[in-house]
Amino acid sequence: LVLLVGAESLMGSFLHLLWRDPGFRSDHLLTFGIGMPETEYTTAGEIAFCDRLLDRLKGFPGVQAAATGMPLPLEGEQMSVSFDIEERPSAAPERPHSDMAIVTPGYFGAMGMALRKGRDFTGRDDATAPRVLVVNEAFARKYFPGEDAIGKRVMPGATNGKEEMRMREIVGVVENARQEALAAEPEAIYYFPYKQLSWGIGTFVLRTAVPPLEIESTARAALTGLDAEAAMYQVRTGDQLAT
């Protein structure tokens, strides 16, 4: 009897994990990383290469949207950075921390993450533009309870090594996408536009109108067409990412 009860409890926990919403649409999604020759590309060169590849991918039949993100949902707490809230400044040791990600314009649409309020990043959010952020609903509720997070300003501790920390305005709120599969609740996360905080090329995500693996060879050809030494790795569908 004890073994049966234990097995039932374990199965219930397993099914709960299966039914838990990851916060993005896993269907018709292809993801992959790329490796670049390290000695040939500056930060500006990586950004330009990423833009060219995304432009090519977006033009292929069967590709509805293309973007990059670092890290993707369900990849764990890879980047957590402290920040200061402009209207409630704290001493450095007491500043809150949050997960972060760096994404290109159109990332949320490609991942199938709904924009709840405000706007997405655009190509105009570059190094010459005012510094901006998009946050998820968990971030907005945790750090601005009962308030509208749009227009709030925070100063993240993350920099690109070329400038001091700067205040950034929250311009959008998106639905929660889990970083940790086993987390009891969605984690707070804030998103940076990749042209304002480039730490290398992120993982590519393609929203497809056909079975996603049908696009793999086309994407690989587009990559090597731009740089014969570039390599594609860790090719996964959204369903594989979500399991």
Side-chain angles (χ1 to χ4, degrees):
L1 180 60
V2 172
L3 289 175
L4 286 174
V5 171
E8 182 180 1
S9 176
L10 181 61
M11 182 59 70
S13 298
F14 178 68
L15 290 175
H16 176 67
L17 289 176
L18 288 180
W19 294 332
R20 182 176 292 175
D21 183 5
F24 64 94
R25 283 178 47 212
S26 62
D27 64 292
H28 289 84
L29 186 67
L30 182 71
T31 74
F32 59 88
I34 65 172
M36 306 290 293
E38 294 183 2
T39 58
E40 296 185 11
Y41 290 91
T42 63
T43 297
E46 286 183 341
I47 290 175
F49 184 92
C50 182
D51 283 345
R52 290 198 300 273
L53 181 54
L54 287 173
D55 285 343
R56 287 196 176 192
L57 294 170
K58 291 173 184 176
F60 289 135
V63 176
Q64 296 177 323
T68 73
M70 174 196 303
L72 297 188
L74 301 179
E75 291 191 336
E77 186 182 304
Q78 297 186 19
M79 299 192 295
S80 179
V81 179
S82 65
F83 59 92
D84 211 10
I85 299 174
E86 183 179 46
E87 59 193 41
R88 302 191 300 273
S90 304
E94 301 171 355
R95 288 174 183 163
H97 285 72
S98 174
D99 287 344
M100 61 169 279
I102 303 170
V103 304
T104 60
Y107 169 80
F108 306 115
M111 287 296 297
M113 298 166 56
L115 183 68
R116 301 302 194 197
K117 186 178 295 187
R119 69 170 179 88
D120 191 357
F121 297 132
T122 73
R124 293 187 297 276
D125 295 315
D126 59 17
T128 66
R131 298 306 189 253
V132 292
L133 293 169
V134 169
V135 304
N136 70 348
E137 292 174 297
F139 187 104
R141 284 196 301 266
K142 183 175 183 178
Y143 298 112
F144 301 102
E147 302 179 79
D148 187 351
I150 300 296
K152 299 294 186 181
R153 287 162 51 87
V154 302
M155 184 168 66
T159 72
N160 59 10
K162 298 179 182 179
E163 63 182 21
E164 299 295 326
M165 295 184 298
R166 296 171 61 176
M167 283 288 177
R168 291 175 176 266
E169 181 179 344
I170 297 173
V171 296
V173 178
V174 296
E175 71 173 310
N176 298 323
R178 294 179 180 275
Q179 289 301 118
E180 297 278 359
L182 300 180
E185 298 293 337
E187 305 88 340
I189 184 169
Y190 52 178
Y191 298 89
F192 294 74
Y194 86 125
K195 287 187 178 179
Q196 292 187 358
L197 185 68
S198 179
W199 288 356
I201 298 177
T203 302
F204 283 75
V205 295
L206 307 183
R207 174 66 52 186
T208 68
V210 298
L213 289 177
E214 291 185 9
I215 301 296
E216 178 182 356
S217 60
T218 302
R220 195 181 300 275
L223 173 63
T224 56
L226 290 175
D227 189 324
E229 296 184 24
M232 182 185 296
Y233 65 91
Q234 201 172 23
V235 178
R236 295 178 293 180
T237 66
D239 291 334
Q240 290 171 328
L241 177 65
T243 57

